[in-house]
Amino acid sequence: MPLKKQIPPSASEKLNHVKPSGKKDENFFSLVYEVARQIPKGRVTSYGAIAACLGTRLSARMVGWAMNGAGNVRPKVPAHRVVNRIGMLSGKHHFSPRGSMEKLLRKEGIRVKNDQVVDFDKLFWDPVKELGF
DNA sequence: ACGCTGACTATTA
DNA sequence: CTAATAGCCAGCG
């Protein structure tokens, strides 16, 4: 799945209006959480896709880092639906309890084999495309 | 303040 | 094909 063209930084400004309060600290984090919450059940996406949606395709690491606090944020953020670009459950080690990520995915009908999402290309949910970016 | 680390990705060798 | 490299930027010692 081609990540297509480069996303202009203006995209982040678009989502910027979403933030209810005037806090800019959680700017990036909030955006990540927002997008992550939009992931339909039974679908998955990648850190890079979210990053691209925010206009910072190169900062996919930050997306993952943001997920680090996903469990602390309310409402819950389906961090288990976010995997790396090849559909591998790279973040399963950060889940509690260990291995819950795969379980959750399976529960949603997603087949996981050897820490990898089966038919990742079909289950892939592109926020850029779905959200109209 | 500085440097290292990391749930990533794309590019180059 | 695999391996190394470079961007990204928020935390933490």
Side-chain angles (χ1 to χ4, degrees):
Chain A
M1 71 325 266
L3 275 190
K4 45 224 109 163
K5 21 200 154 194
Q6 337 165 5
I7 311 301
S10 13
S12 58
E13 294 189 52
K14 288 197 171 186
L15 283 195
N16 238 1
H17 76 68
V18 175
K19 68 176 168 62
S21 26
K23 285 210 162 190
K24 60 183 200 173
D25 292 62
E26 37 191 338
N27 199 308
F28 188 80
F29 281 53
S30 294
L31 294 175
V32 174
Y33 298 145
E34 296 257 345
V35 175
R37 275 195 281 263
Q38 310 310 313
I39 304 174
K41 184 187 172 189
R43 306 290 288 286
V44 292
T45 191
S46 66
Y47 304 97
I50 297 178
C53 179
L54 302 181
T56 59
R57 156 171 103 53
L58 299 175
S59 56
R61 289 185 173 208
M62 294 302 90
V63 178
W65 189 253
M67 283 294 143
N68 196 5
N72 270 330
V73 181
R74 45 220 154 63
K76 69 157 196 179
V77 177
H80 58 277
R81 298 193 189 125
V82 183
V83 295
N84 65 2
R85 73 171 182 94
I86 60 176
M88 180 161 40
L89 280 57
S90 46
K92 67 176 282 183
H93 303 291
H94 290 259
F95 268 77
S96 62
R98 204 154 171 260
S100 61
M101 185 176 186
E102 179 176 332
K103 193 170 184 176
L104 287 167
L105 289 175
R106 287 179 181 278
K107 196 174 180 182
E108 297 184 355
I110 300 178
R111 274 171 277 181
V112 179
K113 184 164 194 174
N114 206 2
D115 292 349
Q116 267 192 179
V117 177
V118 183
D119 296 329
F120 173 69
D121 292 335
K122 291 165 74 174
L123 298 174
F124 181 74
W125 180 82
D126 192 345
V128 180
K129 189 174 182 177
E130 299 298 326
L131 297 180
F133 285 93

